[in-house]
Amino acid sequence: MKKFTWLFAFLGLLFISSNVFSQDTTGVSFSFSAHRISDSEAVILIKGKINPDIKLYALQQSPDDALYSSIQFDSSVQHLLRNPLIQKGNEQRGMDTALQSEVHFFKDSVDWQQKVAASPTDSFLVKGKVSYMTQKGEQYLPFEKEFKIFVLPENKNPASEIKQGNDGGSVAKKSLWWIFVAGFAGGLIALITPCVFSMIPVTVSFFIKRSKTKAEGIKNAISYSLSIMVIFTLLGFLITVIFGPTALNNLATNWIANLVFFLVFLIFGISFLGAFNIELPSSWGNKADSKAGTGSFIGIFFMALTLVVISFSCTGPIIGNLLVIAARGSYWGPLIGMFAFSLALALPFALFAFFPGKLNMIGKSGGWLNAVKVTLGFLELALALKFLSNADLSRNWRILDREVFLSLWIVIFMLLGIYLLGKIKFHHDDELPKNDFDIPYLSVTRLFFAIASFSFAVYMIPGMWGAPLRAISAFLPPMGTQDFNASAAASHNTVSYSSAASESSKNVLPQPVKYYDRMRLYEPEVVTKYGMIVYFDYDEALEVARKVHRPLMLDFTGINCVNCRRMEGSVWSDPEVMKRLKENFVIASLYVDVSLDLQPGDQYYSKTLQKDITTLGDKNADLQITQYNANTQPYYFFLDANENRLEPEGYGYDSDVEKFKNMLDEVVAKYNAENNVPR
């Protein structure tokens, strides 16, 4: 271990020294910044610090200058530049004997300043390059230094500019009691997610091995429950404070995180199938036993930590909205919310541990417990593919297109059905129980689970040819990734209410332009099936809404958002809802997890997220949090032509079709009343 420590220390020093050396070889170090000087202008500052033995040549002042430096700005900001570059410092003149020409240079330091047009609300990226010439002794050395500077809006509190309409109903204004109830309810919901549910057999096995008496079971239960609560509460709170309010939500959509969870679930799945057992290092176990016997807190804490890590990909989006409060300056809200969330999550595990005798009875019940474990192994493999699909969609690798994903799931559930029938055996499987005639038989329970597995596999088969598979569409890659769709042509004839009416309308929406070529791949099945027109850029959608005199519907969604697909499949697809959406609204689908790079001129720095906004997903996430105090998807907001909210609180995930339809009617009525539109 010491060898590795010294090795890493040496490499770290080598890296630092190499960086320092690379900066010193030029003899000039630059710093770049920007600040506002008026309501209409900002200034870009480029400061150079020059070593004593170096001459830095000034900017070109005449065509006859032989030695000079220059600054080039990216074409995306050329139209913003105001007045020529200004250079300040102790400029010196001298005759260069080698060139027999007068030169201008600086020693010690130099300041270069460039004014740019910037309104108080503007935020944009300035990119460029400094090409500079230096002299050291008899050597003339040219160098280049690229730079990237964010011009920020005036220093105002974003929250103060949010048009709430009804401040008392915003998430930030809710009482701590409401936050506790919401957090507790979120914990109960998280219990039924695959990430948490799949950990139950591991936990049960752990307590079976560790608990021999009721007293030890109660002790383990308390330790395990407290460990979950402490870890979840502190971890979520610290992540929010350090990284910002989108950290938890982004964890479930980040492609690297999804690859990690893919590997974790793959390993767990293979382990459940009997290839190997996942155990703590023997040294840990020996140390734990020597300290606390069978009820070692270290082992219990490790199990709790495992649950927290594995379940975070599923639980992150649930608690993301509560943790937005942390970005508003209040830390009691997310602390209480996370405490309530972890309390609900820990309760079932505590109940299992409070009855160790019964758990031991389950463990001795025979081969059926191993069959449950193998079944969960197949489910783990299926879930692993879902995480891989999330990463694939985020990076647009096109590895797991819809039909590939479906084919793998069909095979997995077919094999599960065959296993449940007893036709596949793993090395740790027992023989099927025998009846009174000493003949192996299949239990009715196992038969019904086999039927369910086969039925699910058969249900998915039509999806290979483009069937929507509405029951699981929320978990599948988008229909746009399907290479062959036999139902595409027929789908246009299935919409009885929209085709003729919409096409004959005088307010036909123009086709989207910005980001459309890349983003249409992610359009959900309900959009493609019913011929909806949605936009992927806020400004483009707002401009269209103003032209056609319709309210703007902001659909904050995600590529990997399960509830978004459920909402679209069960609510949007209702004929009456679809009719209203197509005829009365302009819809902007703002994906918060897409990694599409923004143009340099569209990039900026977000004070709310405390990071550079360089992708379309980051831009949409920043808009949702900064302007609408929300961080969950789906979430819908409705705006008029002046960007005022028509529905102050917006509308989150709620599959009640009538409620959503009534809300749409209210929004249209408010819009028409404001604009004197007769109905």
Side-chain angles (χ1 to χ4, degrees), residues 394-653:
S394 179
R395 302 304 298 175
N396 197 31
W397 292 328
R398 301 298 300 274
I399 299 173
L400 285 180
D401 286 351
R402 190 173 183 269
E403 67 274 18
V404 177
F405 185 91
L406 279 172
S407 65
L408 291 172
W409 267 30
I410 291 170
V411 170
I412 288 174
F413 284 96
M414 281 287 189
L415 289 175
L416 174 58
I418 296 173
Y419 169 80
L420 291 173
L421 291 178
K423 301 302 181 181
I424 297 177
K425 295 287 187 181
F426 294 93
H427 81 274
H428 57 341
D429 276 324
D430 292 337
E431 292 293 334
L432 291 174
K434 295 182 179 181
N435 59 19
D436 295 338
F437 303 99
D438 202 32
I439 299 175
Y441 73 95
L442 193 67
S443 67
V444 176
T445 302
R446 192 158 176 164
L447 174 64
F448 273 104
F449 276 110
I451 292 173
S453 183
F454 281 121
S455 299
F456 185 58
V458 173
Y459 169 77
M460 290 187 288
I461 291 175
M464 298 289 293
W465 291 272
L469 304 181
R470 183 173 297 180
I472 60 171
S473 61
F475 300 93
L476 302 179
M479 187 69 75
T481 64
Q482 183 99 10
D483 290 331
F484 176 72
N485 190 347
S487 64
S491 64
H492 296 287
N493 299 324
T494 64
V495 188
S496 60
Y497 59 84
S498 61
S499 300
S502 297
E503 293 300 329
S504 61
S505 173
K506 64 180 180 180
N507 288 329
V508 176
L509 298 179
Q511 288 293 323
V513 176
K514 200 165 186 181
Y515 309 121
Y516 178 71
D517 289 340
R518 168 72 183 273
M519 294 301 299
R520 64 179 178 179
L521 175 72
Y522 305 119
E523 286 184 330
E525 185 265 340
V526 68
V527 171
T528 57
K529 178 178 179 180
Y530 295 108
M532 297 180 68
I533 293 179
V534 299
Y535 299 87
F536 304 103
D537 178 71
Y538 173 85
D539 294 322
E540 182 183 15
L542 179 62
E543 182 181 355
V544 172
R546 287 169 173 169
K547 287 182 179 179
V548 300
H549 305 291
R550 295 187 188 181
L552 173 62
M553 174 179 166
L554 302 182
D555 167 28
F556 288 102
T557 183
I559 299 173
N560 300 314
C561 174
V562 173
N563 285 339
C564 300
R565 305 293 88 80
R566 287 174 176 168
M567 190 73 179
E568 293 153 358
S570 62
V571 180
W572 286 30
S573 60
D574 178 81
E576 291 299 320
V577 172
M578 179 58 62
K579 186 175 188 300
R580 286 164 170 77
L581 291 177
K582 292 188 66 174
E583 295 182 0
N584 299 330
F585 293 91
V586 172
I587 302 175
S589 291
L590 305 178
Y591 288 80
V592 300
D593 56 356
V594 65
S595 58
L596 179 62
D597 291 333
L598 295 171
Q599 294 296 321
D602 294 332
Q603 297 178 12
Y604 63 96
Y605 180 83
S606 168
K607 290 185 177 179
T608 302
L609 303 186
Q610 298 181 354
K611 69 173 185 177
D612 297 342
I613 302 300
T614 58
T615 68
L616 180 60
D618 287 342
K619 177 183 177 182
N620 293 332
D622 180 49
L623 175 66
Q624 185 181 14
I625 293 173
T626 303
Q627 297 297 327
Y628 301 101
N629 284 347
N631 189 30
T632 57
Q633 297 81 41
Y635 221 107
Y636 310 111
F637 292 94
F638 302 87
L639 309 180
D640 61 15
N642 297 318
E643 300 179 82
N644 296 314
R645 297 193 198 183
L646 296 169
E647 177 66 26
E649 294 305 314
Y651 193 93
Y653 175 71

Side-chain angles (χ1 to χ4, degrees), residues 549 551 646 665 667-679:
H549 305 291
L646 296 169
D665 291 339
V667 168
V668 172
K670 290 179 183 179
Y671 180 86
N672 292 339
E674 290 180 2
N675 295 274
N676 297 319
V677 178
R679 274 297 186 194

Side-chain angles (χ1 to χ4, degrees), residues 75 121 160 168 185 298 308 322 407 507 538 616:
S75 59
T121 59
S160 64
I298 295 177
V308 171
L322 290 173
S407 65
N507 288 329
Y538 173 85
L616 180 60

